[in-house]
Amino acid sequence: MSEDAKPATLATQKPTQNWFASWFDTPYYHILYKERNYREAQIFMDNLTHYLNLPEKAKVLDLACGKGRHAIYLNQLGFEVIGADLSENSIAEASKNSNSSLQFQVHDMREKFDDQFDAIFNLFTSFGYFENDADNLKTLIAIKESLTEHGFAVIDFMNVNQVIANLVPEETKTVEGIDFHIQRYVKDGHIYKEISFEDKGESYHFTEKVQALTLQDFQTMMEEAGIYLLDIFGDYKLKKFHKTESERLIMIFK
């Protein structure tokens, strides 16, 4: 998941309407997910940009960029890149890598950009966080309106069928001396991850909650938004999507 109103304190975190507003802005989010596969992310960007045949120095938006791992690599490939995220802390960290052709900004994905882009990437399951379904549609429309006439957009989402079939109900991950106790379950059309841990004498609890959106759900929303779904892939090597076996649901549209 990607990387708002920050909580006054992290201890005994109270639920907020938008859970991602607080969790993504904590240092613990980045500690828990520090071992993400950067090489896999680079291979995905290589395959994706080659498939899209983006022009030299194309303008690319990494939407919900987190700390910028995809945006930084896309810039290294020669593209002019903007990384945008709702998390002020993530943008502050990502901005340390800024240069004349790589910029980062705090932005709500439900709002269109003043600028337009040759490609917009929404990667690593950075969709489906909102409580209101209308916000999903609003996000898709904002993406569409932020594309150039010949631009393409990409949503890289989990394949919920495969995820639910292989859900690990409980596990403990120890990172930097912190034991993260994780519970996963499906409820009311969402996939939940409850994360509990202690650090420096304080107890913490956070909840990740993502809509279990299927390909059919996306197709329905895209049709309503006036979006054309061009292609579908099932992994970062851009292999064919299989409803029950593919790890990812990668959609190319405009």
Side-chain angles (χ1 to χ4, degrees), residues 123-186:
L123 306 171
F124 212 69
T125 308
S126 299
F127 197 95
Y129 295 160
F130 304 117
E131 293 294 330
N132 189 337
D133 286 343
D135 284 333
N136 290 333
L137 182 62
K138 190 175 181 181
T139 298
L140 289 175
I141 292 172
I143 290 173
K144 175 188 174 185
E145 293 180 346
S146 300
L147 286 171
T148 63
E149 181 181 357
H150 302 291
F152 297 95
V154 180
I155 290 179
D156 160 37
F157 200 70
M158 61 182 166
N159 177 12
V160 296
N161 298 303
Q162 194 266 355
V163 168
I164 291 173
N166 296 278
L167 206 65
V168 178
E170 291 189 39
E171 69 172 320
T172 298
K173 289 186 176 180
T174 302
V175 187
E176 293 188 7
I178 301 173
D179 295 327
F180 292 93
H181 303 288
I182 301 169
Q183 293 181 307
R184 300 178 180 89
Y185 57 93
V186 181

Side-chain angles (χ1 to χ4, degrees), residues 1-2 10 12-13 19 23-24 26 28-33 36 169-175 178-185 191-198 202-210:
M1 302 177 189
S2 172
L10 299 181
T12 58
Q13 174 68 30
W19 59 265
W23 173 224
F24 289 166
T26 75
Y28 297 108
Y29 170 81
H30 299 293
I31 291 172
L32 177 58
Y33 294 116
R36 283 179 168 164
E170 291 189 39
E171 69 172 320
T172 298
K173 289 186 176 180
T174 302
V175 187
I178 301 173
D179 295 327
F180 292 93
H181 303 288
I182 301 169
Q183 293 181 307
R184 300 178 180 89
Y185 57 93
I191 297 174
Y192 285 80
K193 184 188 289 186
E194 304 281 358
I195 303 163
S196 302
F197 56 94
E198 294 184 3
E202 296 280 359
S203 296
Y204 301 87
H205 181 87
F206 292 94
T207 301
E208 292 182 7
K209 175 184 175 184
V210 183

Side-chain angles (χ1 to χ4, degrees), residues 81 151 201:
V81 182

